[in-house]
Amino acid sequence: FVPQDDILHHDLTVEAALQYTAMLRLPTDFSKEEIHDRVNETICRLGLNGTEQTLIGRPSRRGISGGQRKRVSIASELITEPPVLLLDEPTSGLSSNDSLSLIRLLRLLANQGKTIVLTIHQPSIEILELFDSLAVISRDKSTNEEGVYSCR
């Protein structure tokens, strides 16, 4: 599960954050070399090359971009190779370009066999076209009745 708000340690580099995540979450029989390899593989897989030594950062101390921060959050979950990835509004706070880039990344992961389930508000047509299935949940303002529409 990847929450809407990123849960990352702001004073760590991208590589260090993923190393700690891997050490905490991978089986205890993983060697340091296997952990290092898994972290590097995940960094490459999510297009984070070149950010390894950059601080995650915070508003008062500049670090990686919002799109990169979201990718690190996803990388933290992918370290353990889960078959299903649940994301709560992964594009929240991202620019339209970063949003499209992130959804393209998720599409690539889905094409590699991951099941991706996410919530999203006001996606562009370009983003909608990348989904396999879509369920729209809404409320009729005049009657306050809930409705669900599913397609594909």
Side-chain angles (χ1 to χ4, degrees):
F1 175 73
V2 180
Q4 181 178 352
D5 293 327
D6 301 316
I7 304 172
L8 300 169
H9 195 290
H10 304 286
D11 295 322
L12 292 177
T13 64
V14 168
E15 184 177 42
L18 293 176
Q19 284 280 357
Y20 284 121
T21 298
M23 288 188 296
L24 289 169
R25 297 187 64 202
L26 289 173
T28 56
D29 63 346
F30 266 60
S31 69
K32 286 183 181 183
E33 184 177 293
E34 289 172 313
I35 289 172
H36 180 74
D37 290 346
R38 179 68 65 91
V39 167
N40 286 336
E41 174 188 314
T42 305
I43 285 171
C44 290
R45 191 174 186 189
L46 291 172
L48 290 165
N49 303 69
T51 66
E52 296 91 337
Q53 300 309 312
T54 305
L55 288 178
I56 303 288
R58 63 182 75 193
S60 63
R61 186 173 183 192
R62 186 156 160 70
I64 58 177
S65 72
Q68 291 167 331
R69 186 181 333 274
K70 188 56 71 177
R71 287 174 186 253
V72 173
S73 291
I74 294 169
S76 294
E77 294 306 319
L78 287 178
I79 286 281
T80 60
E81 289 296 330
V84 177
L85 197 58
L86 305 171
L87 300 104
D88 181 23
E89 298 185 39
T91 59
S92 179
L94 299 182
S95 70
S96 57
N97 285 338
D98 282 343
S99 294
L100 182 57
S101 176
L102 179 65
I103 297 299
R104 284 181 176 150
L105 169 69
L106 295 173
R107 172 77 261 166
L108 180 64
L109 292 172
N111 290 346
Q112 295 170 354
K114 296 277 182 228
T115 298
I116 310 286
V117 179
L118 61 91
T119 60
I120 190 168
H121 292 284
Q122 301 177 333
S124 68
I125 293 297
E126 282 181 293
I127 287 176
L128 282 175
E129 290 174 342
L130 294 172
F131 295 155
D132 287 331
S133 299
L134 177 69
V136 178
I137 302 171
S138 65
R139 185 179 307 271
D140 184 327
K141 289 182 183 180
S142 64
T143 64
N144 209 27
E145 289 184 33
E146 294 179 359
V148 177
Y149 174 77
S150 182
C151 63
R152 286 198 226 182

